Amino acid sequence: MRTVRKIFSGICSHRGTNKDTGDIMIRTEESQEMYLKTIYILKKSGLNICSMDIATELGYAKSSVSVAMKGLRNNGYIVMNDNQIVLTSKGYQKARKIYERFTVFTQILEDLGVERKQAEETACRMEHVVSDEVFEVIKKKVFDKTLFSAGKD
């Protein structure tokens, strides 16, 4: 069995606890986006990815990851080739979009003086809730350096 080191501290989990039962819950769409981002980041590191790599990276049970991979397959985001996870075009586009949001929000927060770990944790939550339109406006304003210029509110 190969060992996968945690290659990116920005991979986060979207776990919450059910107040009534105490069960750990993960919101489905955010969960799928988190898994897609994890696959994307692991793939960028040059790995051929299997479920165990994702379980190791996220600290989840392999059985939980297997269930999530089934959902990603059913939604057309991944295919399995010889036990290796491969992003489809649809999965790649969604993963890349989430990763871009994460990196942009992390950079903005760090530029504002937030410590890296906290910036990554916050960006990880932000990446799922901001609409495409709002994200594009934020990105344009920040990277055009107009958001914080004198006279702008």
Side-chain angles (χ1 to χ4, degrees), residues 52 93-94 127-128 138:
M52 196 63 209
Q93 293 304 316
K94 184 145 185 146
E127 69 194 21
H128 304 288
I138 291 169

Side-chain angles (χ1 to χ4, degrees), residues 21-35:
T21 65
D23 293 339
I24 292 176
M25 305 177 330
I26 300 176
R27 290 172 279 199
T28 304
E29 185 174 347
E30 287 183 17
S31 174
Q32 287 191 351
E33 290 175 349
M34 177 197 57
Y35 280 107

Side-chain angles (χ1 to χ4, degrees), residues 24-137:
I24 292 176
M25 305 177 330
I26 300 176
R27 290 172 279 199
T28 304
E29 185 174 347
E30 287 183 17
S31 174
Q32 287 191 351
E33 290 175 349
M34 177 197 57
Y35 280 107
L36 288 169
K37 182 174 77 173
T38 302
I39 293 166
Y40 180 82
I41 291 167
L42 290 171
K43 193 66 175 168
K44 280 181 54 143
S45 73
L47 294 175
N48 289 323
I49 305 154
C50 64
S51 293
M52 196 63 209
D53 298 328
I54 297 167
T56 300
E57 185 68 30
L58 295 174
Y60 291 172
K62 187 174 184 291
S63 58
S64 296
V65 173
S66 293
V67 169
M69 294 306 105
K70 181 179 179 182
L72 292 176
R73 276 195 314 274
N74 290 342
N75 287 326
Y77 292 125
I78 64 167
V79 293
M80 300 295 290
N81 290 335
D82 297 324
N83 290 325
Q84 300 298 309
I85 298 167
V86 179
L87 290 168
T88 63
S89 178
K90 177 181 173 182
Y92 176 82
Q93 293 304 316
K94 184 145 185 146
R96 188 167 178 237
K97 174 181 144 181
I98 294 300
Y99 181 72
E100 178 189 27
R101 288 169 172 244
F102 173 78
T103 56
V104 166
F105 288 140
T106 299
Q107 181 179 342
I108 291 168
L109 292 168
E110 284 185 301
D111 288 350
L112 291 171
V114 177
E115 291 186 30
R116 180 151 189 93
K117 182 174 172 46
Q118 186 177 10
E120 288 178 345
E121 289 170 1
T122 302
C124 201
R125 290 189 302 274
M126 293 171 69
E127 69 194 21
H128 304 288
V129 296
V130 174
S131 71
D132 292 342
E133 296 80 14
V134 170
F135 177 71
E136 290 304 317
V137 169

